[in-house]
Amino acid sequence: MGAGYLQTGYYAGFFLAAALNYTVGAHWGWRAMFLCGGAPVLLALYMLARIKESDRWIKAKASARRPSPLREIFTRAYRRRTIVNGALVTISIIGLWAAVVYEPSAIVALAKRAGHSTGDATRLASLGTGLLSVGTALGCIAAPPLAERLGRRGALAVYFLGMALCIWVSFGWALYVADGLWLFIGSLFALGLFGGNFALYSLWLPEQYPTGVRATAFAFITAFGRFIGAGVNFVIGAAVQAYGSMGVPVAATALAFLAGLLIVPLALETRGARLPG
């Protein structure tokens, strides 16, 4: 359960951002929101200055005589699982990032089409983001027990199938329904719920690598997916401009999750296995 609770911190931040946008952003605009965004930076700098590495870790690093962990996760023993894990994390990032990036704009467009003012549209976008964040946090909490019941691969398959369905329903259908504002906002909760699949990686990836390369493997796999996800968002932006609507281009990311269902069986199942030393 620890991985699920830890992962919810990320989406608690989204919820706080939505709450700030509902209050600060709706009244004073993006400049005030930008200043609010500086608070976590100051906190991070303070923590970086105050927290020191342990002497034990520094001595262990100085005396280490082993090959590069980054090179090791691509040796014959780990290459396949590193590539498969990287593909799965990338798929998760592509779908959820697309939804997170475009759902506020979609709500604003729907709200204005329904006759709401700009301020009200901004508040409704914040409400939708908050609902998405709550759903995602609950999805993260549900991930560990689901992984124990269905196995890691089975749980991820359920999340991928749910993401594919919810992305298509929200952006491919609800966005185009007449008076579909509240239908779209309501669909974001289910979308967030299945977006909790990220919590699975927090418990699954460490189970696949020994201590010496575990942190490197986790960092590389999750960072690689973010670079690809950022590039795909540029592609989606170009598709939105060419298509003239954000609905279908964003809904098309559901295909990535369907492709992911074909990759899931290639992943290493670790339910019941001991953590590598």
Side-chain angles (χ1 to χ4, degrees):
M1 288 293 288
Y5 287 122
L6 180 64
Q7 194 73 26
T8 60
Y10 184 83
Y11 304 101
F14 269 98
F15 184 83
L16 291 174
L20 282 171
N21 194 51
Y22 188 92
T23 53
V24 176
H27 286 90
W28 292 289
W30 69 268
R31 290 180 177 83
M33 283 295 296
F34 186 82
L35 290 175
C36 290
V41 177
L42 296 176
L43 178 61
L45 291 174
Y46 173 78
M47 293 176 65
L48 187 64
R50 299 290 296 179
I51 299 176
K52 306 297 182 183
E53 297 288 358
S54 68
D55 292 337
R56 181 178 179 183
W57 185 90
I58 293 173
K59 292 179 181 178
K61 183 180 180 182
S63 62
R65 294 291 185 271
R66 62 179 302 151
S68 165
L70 183 60
R71 183 182 303 172
E72 193 170 345
I73 64 175
F74 284 100
T75 58
R76 185 176 181 180
Y78 306 114
R79 185 186 303 119
R80 173 174 169 168
R81 70 185 68 174
T82 298
I83 294 172
V84 169
N85 290 330
L88 293 174
V89 172
T90 299
I91 289 169
S92 295
I93 288 173
I94 288 172
L96 189 58
W97 275 17
V100 169
V101 167
Y102 285 99
E103 59 87 5
S105 299
I107 293 175
V108 169
L110 287 170
K112 289 185 175 180
R113 193 170 72 189
H116 292 276
S117 66
T118 300
D120 287 341
T122 301
R123 293 186 184 90
L124 287 170
S126 301
L127 176 64
T129 301
L131 194 61
L132 178 73
S133 301
V134 170
T136 309
L138 293 176
C140 289
I141 293 172
L146 190 64
E148 288 302 311
R149 178 176 292 273
L150 302 179
R152 279 54 170 158
R153 293 185 299 193
L156 189 62
V158 169
Y159 277 107
F160 272 16
L161 187 61
M163 281 295 291
L165 179 62
C166 289
I167 286 177
W168 185 258
V169 166
S170 56
F171 285 91
W173 175 64
L175 190 62
Y176 295 102
V177 173
D179 299 324
L181 173 62
W182 290 105
L183 181 63
F184 181 85
I185 291 176
S187 71
L188 293 177
F189 177 80
L191 179 60
L193 194 65
F194 289 105
N197 63 78
F198 278 98
L200 281 172
Y201 302 118
S202 296
L203 64 92
W204 193 11
L205 293 180
E207 293 174 342
Q208 299 182 50
Y209 298 91
T211 304
V213 297
R214 185 174 295 136
T216 300
F218 190 93
F220 174 82
I221 290 166
T222 54
F224 175 82
R226 282 168 167 78
F227 279 110
I228 301 299
V232 170
N233 266 327
F234 281 108
V235 174
I236 293 173
V240 169
Q241 185 176 16
Y243 189 79
S245 169
M246 72 183 74
V248 171
V250 176
T253 61
L255 297 175
F257 289 100
L258 296 181
L261 290 173
L262 302 177
I263 301 175
V264 167
L266 303 177
L268 179 68
E269 179 58 68
T270 58
R271 180 174 62 168
R274 295 185 63 180
L275 190 68

